[in-house]
């Protein structure tokens, strides 16, 4: 076995493929699919999305300074792809994909009702990098679908059937392999967790 050396490029996969909604009123609401996203700080909660300046959503988000990250699921995979290949300059993606815009708490940008987790964000800084500009943003509210809350108020994200994006393809998540810290958990704790 030998390693093949490739030219520099991004090979960090899998990634989330999220639907980012933006706009301040129905006539300029839009959705863009984004894979260049992630968490950059726990407290204050900060995230980023990187967008090419030629995207229709780029101007909307730059102007309004806000957006919503909507997590995607197996039932949203077609809409996720569609919103990543069609531009809001030409069509209303909410309408064509039968998605429902709903009111956020802290931002005017719409939530996508069909998504189980809607993360409201306010832009703090735009960093010019090259092909993409990075919109660093603070998370100002999180909305979750109460269908996935159990009787103790615990949210079961796995039950939403999340998807990820890996090297050009969409995948569902496979089996659960462990929980945070399981590799060092004491036997007793492990047993308790099994129950
Ligand atoms: C899975 C996937 C991930 C994408 N990730 C990004 C991204 O991170 N940044 C970006 O600028 N465009 C990304 N795109 C492309 C945009 O979503 C696409 O160009 C979209 O049509 C732009 O819509 P708009 O013109 O309405 O803003 C992605 C597309 C797909 C299918």
């Amino acid at each position: 076995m030998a390693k093949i050396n490739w030219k520099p490029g991004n090979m960090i996969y899998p990634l989330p493929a999220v639907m980012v909604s933006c706009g301040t009123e129905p006539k300029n609401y839009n959705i863009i699919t984004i894979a260049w996203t992630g968490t950059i700080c726990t407290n204050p909660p900060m995230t980023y999305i990187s967008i090419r300046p030629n995207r229709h959503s780029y101007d909307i988000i730059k102007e309004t300074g806000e957006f919503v990250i909507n997590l995607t699921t197996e039932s949203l995979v077609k809409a996720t792809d569609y919103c990543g290949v069609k531009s809001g300059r030409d069509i209303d993606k909410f309408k064509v994909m039968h998605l429902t815009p709903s009111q956020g708490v802290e931002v005017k940008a719409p939530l996508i009702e069909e998504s189980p987790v809607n993360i409201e964000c306010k832009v703090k800084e735009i960093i010019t990098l090259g092909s993409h500009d990075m919109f660093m943003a603070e998370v100002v509210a999180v909305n979750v679908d109460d269908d996935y809350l159990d009787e103790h108020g615990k949210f079961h994200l796995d039950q939403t059937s999340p998807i990820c994006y890996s090297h050009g393809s969409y995948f569902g998540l496979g089996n659960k392999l462990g929980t945070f810290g399981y590799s060092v958990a004491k036997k007793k704790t492990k047993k308790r967790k099994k129950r």
Side-chain angles (χ1 to χ4, degrees), residues 76-133:
L76 289 171
V77 66
K78 189 173 176 190
T80 304
D81 186 64
Y82 187 87
C83 293
V85 292
K86 292 282 184 184
S87 179
R89 273 191 201 100
D90 313 315
I91 38 129
D92 178 344
K93 297 187 215 180
F94 273 100
K95 209 167 157 188
V96 180
M97 282 290 103
H98 307 291
L99 296 170
T100 318
S102 69
Q103 197 69 57
V105 180
E106 296 291 338
V107 300
K108 283 189 184 151
L111 316 182
I112 299 175
E113 195 58 32
E114 289 76 7
S115 162
V117 180
N118 322 95
I119 303 163
E120 300 180 35
C121 303
K122 283 195 175 164
V123 177
K124 289 280 168 197
E125 204 178 329
I126 303 173
I127 302 169
T128 307
L129 295 170
S131 61
H132 293 65
D133 284 0

Side-chain angles (χ1 to χ4, degrees), residues 11-27:
M11 270 301 286
I12 301 174
Y13 291 116
L15 292 169
V18 297
M19 289 195 285
V20 170
S21 44
C22 56
T24 48
E25 48 186 323
K27 70 173 192 306

